[in-house]
Amino acid sequence: MSLRQTLASLPRDTRDTLFLLAVIAWVISAQLPTLPGWTTALAAGVLAWRGWLTWHGRPLPSRWLTGALLALGVGLTLLTFRTIIGREAGVTLIIVLLSLKTLELRARRDAMVIFFLGFFTLLSSFFVSQSLVTAAMMLIALLGLLTALVNAHLPVGRPPLAQSMRMAARMALLGAPIMLALFLLFPRMAPLWGMPADEARGRSGLSGEMSIGNIASLVLDEGVAMRVRFDTPGGQPPPQRDLYFRGPVLTVFDGRDWSSLMQPRMAGVMPASPAPAQLEVRGEPVRYEVTLEPTRQPWLLTLDAAQDAPELPPGTRAFMTPELNWMANRAVGEVLRYRAESHVDFSHGPRQRTRQMQPYVQLPAGLNPRTLALAAQMRADPALAAGGTQAFIDAAMERLRTGGYTYTLEPGVYGQHTADEFWFDAKAGFCEHIASAFVVLMRALDVPARIVTGYQGGELNGFDNYWTVRQADAHAWSEVWLEGRGWVRVDPTGAVSPGRVGAYQRLQAPRGALGSAFDAVIAPGFAQNLRAAWEAVNNRWNQWVLNYTQGRQLDLLRALGVESPSWQDLGRVLAGLVAIVALAGVAWSWWDRSQHDPWLRLLARARRRLARAGVALPAHLPPRAMAGQVRDRFGAPAAPIADWLLRMEQVRYAAQPAGALATLQRDFRTLPWPRTAAGPVPHPS
């Protein structure tokens, strides 16, 4: 016997329980990547055990055993999160309760509790991710839970699951217009609107600290960092050499780790009076729109250099740091869309050296002695000393170009003296190795210097004309202070590998055997095109769903003719739409009632007519018995009514030509219905 035949032969309770367990497993599966390992094991074990008990018809476990498992789940939650309050701990407990409740599925009340917990768990999946894949999975889960809910309310017997699924799909389709209206018009008043963001949780990407080697690890991450659309003909960006998206600026160095002077303000409070960046711009600005993926950091990545604050959604503000960074008043915990203007020709920073420049020349004591000796040798060179700071920069860049240095993802493990090992031993590194060694050398020459991290480059997605910047595009470069000019960008990686900056020649992670075999069988560009198509679809989801802000709601009202829309106008439009939908629902309900089994409705009308004449007939009485009652009560004058009732019975239970019921409906209006039991039987006008 096949599996399908076996499932078809199962009792209804067994079939329905197994279906519900499968739906619960699907609901929980969306959160597996973020659940503790013990939660996954406990939920999978309980659901598998419950399925085995159902399949073999075994009794459910005792309440003592279920209570012990519950205590175990609560204890492990406390051990893992140190609390049972909060988003992660709460979701974990909900999943534990949902799986354990299946061991108490004895009555319809227990099923209702499971449905409630299932819908709540479904909603909590969006705490983890609001991606298109998650939305598709939850739509399937919603249809599954609705199918199980409908099936639980069907009468006894064995209604097929396909019937319940059709009813569930119909319910979902009927509710879709209401859902769409609420999505489009329900006022989004920040910060009440949106998914709660966990700012303390880390995420792969740039941060306010850099250890030698950690940016190289980002090259293995092909995830999208942000998408950029340029407001130029054809969406073309500036030249590749100018595509520097500015991130955290790192100043403090302890020998291996770099950190920022501007620590993130996670409390949402901006500095009282931030020092100006002394930015001067030249030429026409480059206008663009950024869709930034969640970073759990407050930095707003902009193309160097943005003079004005990016246009952010309501509730989010931005300020500029003295290091030319734009920062938000809170961490970016969800997809953020903003517009900005930048200039690729600019200068910034003080023109004369001041005491505030001291942090940019500090070095940890006792480290990198050979680099310090190299700096002393360069200062002692009369030709370099006469050329000043620019001569020192040119000499260091020439050393990088001609000294046998290589740009690689695998430079080996660096020890305590990172700059010495790069300049004299390994002579190999990724961008942060090169930038760090360069800045250490500049500081040893008493030249103010710092590291800037961010992204360099990008690639055009031909499906939607957005430029995609990936985590693999993470880059580190340096800025050197020149008297009379301020801070000037110097990218030492360009001296070692000119193609990285000028021609977008990124280092690629080694291809695995599976990837190489795939390229050998399929066209080499097929995988890239497939990824580009998927990213374009996902970008549309981000733009039109996740980034549907109050500003876009107001734009919708403007398109509808409202001159100066506000959130109150949104409420009024939504209230009017709800009223219209309610009236339409009433009209549809009335129409549905009029169409619901017209034979029964016609028979009920005849029963009411006879009740007016004093003949109260029970609702279960068939037409033949009603005809007998009419003859007994009214005699020959009521013969047409009795004959009509017999014809009603024939229409219901015997084969009749099309239109027979319509004929009965017309004849109903011409029958000699009696007014009272004792009076004459007049013909109705």
Side-chain angles (χ1 to χ4, degrees):
M1 183 181 297
S2 65
L3 178 61
R4 183 175 182 179
Q5 292 174 334
T6 303
L7 293 176
S9 64
L10 292 175
R12 179 182 175 182
D13 289 345
T14 302
R15 182 203 66 179
D16 293 353
T17 302
L18 292 176
F19 177 77
L20 181 58
L21 293 175
V23 172
I24 293 172
W26 180 263
V27 171
I28 296 176
S29 66
Q31 303 196 40
L32 290 183
T34 59
L35 288 177
W38 65 264
T39 309
T40 303
L42 178 62
V46 168
L47 293 179
W49 183 27
R50 183 62 173 90
W52 183 84
L53 294 176
T54 302
W55 185 270
H56 294 281
R58 302 294 180 86
L60 297 180
S62 65
R63 297 187 182 275
W64 289 103
L65 180 56
T66 306
L69 291 175
L70 176 61
L72 176 64
V74 174
L76 290 174
T77 302
L78 283 171
L79 184 64
T80 304
F81 301 102
R82 307 299 183 194
T83 181
I84 58 174
I85 301 174
R87 195 176 72 183
E88 284 81 5
V91 171
T92 300
L93 273 181
I94 286 294
I95 291 176
V96 170
L97 292 174
L98 176 61
S99 57
L100 291 179
K101 187 61 183 177
T102 61
L103 298 177
E104 296 182 340
L105 185 55
R106 294 180 173 88
R108 176 175 291 186
R109 181 181 63 84
D110 299 320
M112 295 301 108
V113 174
I114 290 179
F115 293 141
F116 175 79
L117 290 174
F119 283 116
F120 194 88
T121 306
L122 184 151
L123 179 63
S124 68
S125 298
F126 292 105
F127 291 163
V128 178
S129 171
Q130 299 97 51
S131 68
L132 184 59
V133 174
T134 301
M137 290 184 65
M138 292 306 98
L139 178 60
I140 296 174
L142 174 65
L143 291 176
L145 284 172
L146 285 177
T147 299
L149 182 62
V150 168
N151 194 64
H153 286 83
L154 289 179
V156 294
R158 188 183 171 83
L161 286 176
Q163 176 185 347
S164 302
M165 194 171 296
R166 285 193 296 269
M167 294 180 65
R170 183 167 174 263
M171 292 168 57
L173 288 176
L174 290 175
I178 301 175
M179 175 193 69
L180 181 61
L182 291 174
F183 173 77
L184 292 175
L185 298 174
F186 194 89
R188 285 161 165 76
M189 294 176 289
L192 298 178
W193 184 267
M195 305 301 294
D198 188 356
E199 297 177 352
R201 194 167 124 199
R203 184 179 177 92
S204 173
L206 301 176
S207 66
E209 297 180 352
M210 182 188 78
S211 297
I212 303 300
N214 66 349
I215 291 185
S217 64
L218 288 180
V219 174
L220 304 177
D221 184 1
E222 287 290 328
V224 175
M226 60 182 176
R227 294 178 175 88
V228 184
R229 186 183 64 187
F230 291 94
D231 295 343
T232 55
Q236 292 297 321
Q240 171 72 24
R241 62 181 181 274
D242 295 328
L243 286 181
Y244 285 86
F245 294 94
R246 192 179 189 89
V249 178
L250 310 178
T251 302
V252 182
F253 183 54
D254 63 3
R256 186 171 187 85
D257 297 331
W258 290 86
S259 59
S260 173
L261 284 175
M262 294 295 299
Q263 295 300 322
R265 306 274 180 148
M266 293 303 185
V269 180
M270 295 187 294
S273 56
Q278 302 183 36
L279 173 64
E280 296 181 5
V281 298
R282 295 174 288 273
E284 289 296 321
V286 178
R287 297 176 177 84
Y288 54 95
E289 178 186 85
V290 176
T291 304
L292 183 64
E293 294 293 321
T295 61
R296 317 297 179 191
Q297 302 289 343
W299 285 283
L300 301 173
L301 297 170
T302 59
L303 189 67
D304 259 352
Q307 184 178 31
D308 299 322
E311 300 175 10
L312 297 169
T316 305
R317 294 170 293 165
F319 64 93
M320 180 186 285
T321 70
E323 296 173 331
L324 205 61
N325 287 120
W326 282 103
M327 299 177 69
N329 60 331
R330 56 186 178 186
V332 181
E334 56 188 11
V335 175
L336 180 63
R337 182 182 177 193
Y338 54 90
R339 297 187 60 82
E341 290 186 357
S342 295
H343 291 76
V344 296
D345 186 7
F346 64 95
S347 58
H348 77 289
R351 303 302 186 262
Q352 300 297 325
R353 188 161 176 171
T354 62
R355 288 184 301 175
Q356 284 74 22
M357 306 295 292
Q358 187 61 29
Y360 301 106
V361 294
Q362 290 180 348
L363 289 172
L367 296 179
N368 301 301
R370 287 182 289 173
T371 302
L372 298 180
L374 174 62
Q377 180 183 348
M378 293 173 67
R379 284 198 303 268
D381 187 334
L384 293 179
T389 301
Q390 188 62 54
F392 291 143
I393 296 173
D394 294 341
M397 296 291 281
E398 181 65 21
R399 185 184 184 95
L400 290 172
R401 278 190 289 267
T402 62
Y405 296 92
T406 57
Y407 179 57
T408 176
L409 284 174
E410 300 177 350
V413 179
Y414 275 47
Q416 183 180 16
H417 306 286
T418 55
D420 283 0
E421 293 185 31
F422 175 79
W423 285 116
F424 302 102
D425 300 329
K427 292 190 175 183
F430 195 58
C431 59
E432 72 266 34
H433 301 85
I434 305 172
S436 176
F438 180 84
V439 170
V440 170
L441 178 59
M442 290 296 105
R443 290 188 176 189
L445 290 164
D446 196 36
V447 175
R450 62 194 185 190
I451 291 179
V452 184
T453 60
Y455 298 92
Q456 204 281 326
E459 58 183 349
L460 177 64
N461 188 322
F463 289 91
D464 58 4
N465 290 326
Y466 275 78
W467 285 81
T468 303
V469 180
R470 305 184 184 280
Q471 297 292 355
D473 297 320
H475 191 54
W477 60 94
S478 64
E479 284 185 338
V480 178
W481 184 84
L482 298 177
E483 188 170 358
R485 295 179 59 188
W487 291 102
V488 177
R489 180 199 302 141
V490 179
D491 193 346
T493 302
V496 179
S497 176
R500 169 61 181 91
V501 176
Y504 190 55
Q505 296 173 357
R506 283 194 291 129
L507 292 178
Q508 301 292 332
R511 298 282 291 173
L514 182 60
S516 301
F518 185 83
D519 285 345
V521 175
I522 308 297
F526 178 77
Q528 288 80 0
N529 292 335
L530 191 62
R531 183 179 70 172
W534 166 248
E535 288 178 348
V537 172
N538 201 49
N539 183 40
R540 287 297 180 186
W541 170 262
N542 289 339
Q543 298 293 336
W544 295 103
V545 179
L546 300 186
N547 231 269
Y548 186 76
T549 60
Q550 187 182 85
R552 297 186 66 182
Q553 286 183 310
L554 299 181
D555 290 340
L556 176 62
L557 290 187
R558 292 189 186 94
L560 295 176
V562 181
E563 293 184 359
S564 300
S566 63
W567 69 266
Q568 292 91 340
D569 295 322
L570 285 171
R572 284 190 284 268
V573 172
L574 182 61
L577 189 59
V578 169
I580 293 174
V581 171
L583 292 175
V586 170
W588 179 85
S589 177
W590 177 84
W591 176 85
D592 185 66
R593 288 183 58 191
S594 67
Q595 299 298 316
H596 178 68
D597 203 340
W599 185 89
L600 286 176
R601 294 187 60 80
L602 185 59
L603 187 63
R605 290 178 62 190
R607 190 178 294 109
R608 288 195 296 270
R609 281 296 188 101
L610 292 174
R612 294 178 197 169
V615 183
L617 301 175
H620 67 272
L621 208 64
R624 182 174 293 276
M626 291 174 61
Q629 293 278 357
V630 168
R631 285 197 185 95
D632 293 342
R633 188 66 176 271
F634 299 106
I641 300 175
D643 294 340
W644 183 86
L645 288 169
L646 293 176
R647 288 163 55 202
M648 281 283 294
E649 186 174 83
Q650 292 176 358
V651 167
R652 188 68 164 184
Y653 300 109
Q656 296 291 320
L661 183 61
T663 302
L664 286 173
Q665 290 172 337
R666 289 193 300 269
D667 293 344
F668 177 85
R669 293 188 292 269
T670 61
L671 290 174
W673 296 101
R675 292 186 180 275
T676 63
V681 186
H683 191 282
S685 58

